[in-house]
């Protein structure tokens, strides 16, 4: 992705994508999620994908390179489900809508196990953790920062740094939800999630909305 720094050569995904590569990545994802990274062998992936080990290594020189390819695909999929806010909807409704989509993508899509695997392996393979952060969370922060800069240019927000503001916004709207989800004790009530999101959006706007715009209440 253009938002990320170049990954080391051992982590690069193959340039050509065909049916065999799709079969390999699909089989690998299932095995990684089911067995974990360390317990999954390239031989098991080749067998599950219906390809030879020689074919598998022709596409992916190592298990780390294959996992890196899955990380990039996962992050690209997340971004597809997370379109940028539209200021024509109004600042408050646009931020609220983005926050709901953000929580749905990063929490309700049940990708917690995948993130756990990355976290578990990042100490041995720090490039994998860096690749995930730059392709996923950091890419989202940068995209949101562009929207916030647009709102600032229109006099709707005031802040010093867009990246910092975007990071703070996402922290406010997600709150403890990621931790509670990982621990399996998150409140499944959609109403509770909406209240948390609305509270985070309102707190962000109180901090960053210009004084002249403070009289504008939240739009429905």
């Amino acid at each position: 992705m253009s938002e990320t720094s170049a990954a080391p050569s051992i982590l690069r995904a193959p340039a050509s994508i065909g049916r065999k590569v799709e079969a390999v990545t699909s089989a690998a994802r299932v095995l990684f999620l089911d067995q974990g990274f360390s317990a999954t062998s390239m031989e098991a992936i080749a067998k599950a994908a219906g390809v030879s080990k020689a074919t598998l290594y022709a596409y992916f020189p190592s298990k780390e390179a294959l996992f890196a390819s899955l990380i990039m695909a996962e992050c690209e999929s997340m971004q597809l489900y997370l379109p940028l806010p539209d200021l024509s909807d109004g600042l408050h409704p646009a931020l609220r809508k983005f926050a709901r989509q953000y929580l749905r993508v990063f929490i309700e899509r049940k990708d917690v196990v995948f993130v756990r695997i990355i976290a578990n392996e990042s100490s041995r393979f720090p490039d994998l953790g860096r690749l995930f952060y730059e392709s996923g969370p950091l890419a989202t922060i940068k995209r949101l920062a562009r929207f916030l800069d647009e709102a600032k240019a229109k006099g709707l927000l005031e802040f010093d740094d867009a990246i910092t503001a975007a990071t703070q916004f996402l922290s406010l709207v997600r709150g403890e939800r990621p931790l509670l989800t990982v621990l399996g004790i998150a409140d499944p009530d959609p109403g509770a999630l909406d209240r948390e999101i609305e509270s985070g959006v309102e707190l962000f706007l109180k901090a960053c909305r210009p004084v002249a715009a403070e009289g504008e209440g939240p739009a429905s």
Side-chain angles (χ1 to χ4, degrees):
M1 295 177 65
S2 59
E3 301 272 5
T4 67
S5 61
S9 58
I10 62 168
L11 297 181
R12 292 192 187 279
S16 59
I17 300 298
R19 290 182 179 178
K20 288 185 178 180
V21 174
E22 291 177 356
V24 167
T25 55
S26 178
R29 191 180 195 282
V30 171
L31 289 173
F32 284 141
L33 290 177
D34 184 51
Q35 301 178 9
F37 179 85
S38 298
T40 300
S41 67
M42 291 290 271
E43 182 177 2
I45 293 171
K47 182 177 180 180
V51 301
S52 68
K53 288 181 66 176
T55 297
L56 175 57
Y57 279 104
Y59 287 120
F60 301 98
S62 67
K63 188 167 65 169
E64 293 77 30
L66 175 50
F67 194 58
S69 176
L70 292 178
I71 290 175
M72 295 177 70
E74 192 76 14
C75 291
E76 288 171 359
S77 175
M78 287 180 178
Q79 298 302 328
L80 289 177
Y81 286 92
L82 193 60
L84 281 175
D86 187 350
L87 265 181
S88 64
D89 295 333
L91 179 60
H92 193 115
L95 288 174
R96 182 197 299 131
K97 180 179 179 180
F98 182 84
R100 286 173 176 165
Q101 292 169 324
Y102 172 78
L103 267 295
R104 184 178 302 115
V105 167
F106 286 90
I107 295 176
E108 296 181 2
R109 277 180 34 146
K110 310 299 182 184
D111 292 324
V112 175
V113 175
F114 191 80
V115 176
R116 278 198 193 119
I117 294 173
I118 297 171
N120 288 340
E121 299 301 327
S122 61
S123 60
R124 292 196 303 140
F125 305 104
D127 285 326
L128 293 177
R130 186 178 302 110
L131 179 64
F132 171 73
Y133 177 72
E134 293 180 350
S135 301
L138 183 58
T140 298
I141 290 170
K142 288 181 176 180
R143 293 172 70 241
L144 178 59
R146 290 200 297 270
F147 169 80
L148 297 180
D149 267 333
E150 179 187 354
K152 180 180 179 180
K154 294 180 181 295
L156 300 175
L157 292 174
E158 284 184 353
F159 50 79
D160 294 328
D161 179 74
I163 293 293
T164 300
T167 302
Q168 291 170 338
F169 174 81
L170 295 177
S171 296
L172 286 170
V173 298
R174 69 174 174 251
E176 290 287 277
R177 184 66 53 165
L179 175 60
L180 295 176
T181 301
V182 169
L183 296 177
I185 56 176
D187 188 345
D189 177 18
L193 181 60
D194 283 341
R195 288 191 293 273
E196 292 172 14
I197 288 173
E198 187 63 26
S199 176
V201 172
E202 289 185 358
L203 187 57
F204 176 80
L205 290 177
K206 285 180 180 179
C208 296
R209 178 175 279 163
V211 175
E214 287 182 354
E216 300 177 12
S220 60

